[in-house]
Amino acid sequence: MDIRIALIGFGEAGSTFAKAAGWEAGALAYDVQPARRVVMEEAGVIACATADCALGDADLALSLVTADSAFDAARDFAGLLRPGALFCDMNSVSPETKRAAARAVEAAGARYVDVAVLAPVNPARMNVPLLVAGAAADDAAQALLAAGFANVRVVGAEVGRASAIKMIRSVMVKGIEALTAEMILAANAAGVAEDVLASLDASERSQSWFERAAYNIERMATHGIRRAAEMEESAKTLADLGVEPMMTSGTVRRQRAQAGHPIETPAKPAARTEGTVA
């Protein structure tokens, strides 16, 4: 690999990409949690105790922190980047948050790139769809492809365009999860969960609602805090567009609540009456 990669944040996304791509010593990683260095060593990348260690010689920096830390990471670490380095902000934040981060990075002489990750990194790994925007989007797309990402698309030269697509899309994706939780809470309270899910199955057969409900609830129980932070950015996106984020604000609360109080979904019955109507 000819490019030097820096990973800022080594959670699920960073560790998944590093292992799948096999970057090993071609990548340096930094995380605010020292315990993550063990995971870095397992992935074969160079574990750094400071951000300066990771970023100083990087050609391509991937920011993979939490949504509420995305701007701080760009602002605090911009001065550590060498002139002309590509700073790919892959965090799920609003277009305005990314534009603010871009101003900080570009003022320091590096090149900021708005990157939207459009699917869970597992199981997609290096095939995860990436949307890229910004003045350096074309160069960033080539660098990301060279680093092993296989599904990269440039969507414009304006920082915030990739994020706008992701944030507005998330209104539906995360909103459906939150609506599922609300439905299951009410159905369980009323003792009619199996009948409700069977009714939905009768009207939509692409995937069993027993499977879909269980999957959505599990995703929120596991990732609800992170997703709530992302949905706060979606709410900001809508507000910036003059759209009151009524459901989206509710999704923030539901995602957070589900992370703290996961609920059980009913087991699929061994058999049920055929011909149930919607």
Side-chain angles (χ1 to χ4, degrees), residues 234-257:
S234 288
K236 292 178 187 176
T237 302
L238 268 63
D240 289 341
L241 294 171
V243 177
E244 185 178 1
M246 296 174 66
M247 289 293 292
T248 306
S249 295
T251 296
V252 172
R253 296 194 303 273
R254 180 59 63 195
Q255 289 274 357
R256 188 170 286 123

Side-chain angles (χ1 to χ4, degrees), residues 174-236:
K174 274 69 173 185
I176 288 174
E177 292 177 353
L179 288 172
T180 302
E182 202 150 302
M183 175 191 71
I184 290 294
L185 285 169
N188 282 343
V192 295
E194 291 189 4
D195 289 323
V196 168
L197 294 172
S199 177
L200 288 167
D201 265 349
S203 60
E204 184 176 353
R205 293 292 185 175
S206 59
Q207 181 188 24
S208 166
W209 266 93
F210 286 89
E211 297 173 357
R212 186 181 303 186
Y215 176 82
N216 286 348
I217 297 299
E218 185 279 329
R219 296 300 292 178
M220 284 186 288
T222 304
H223 302 291
I225 297 298
R226 174 174 60 81
R227 289 178 171 222
E230 177 181 336
M231 293 309 294
E232 287 179 330
E233 295 295 324
S234 288
K236 292 178 187 176

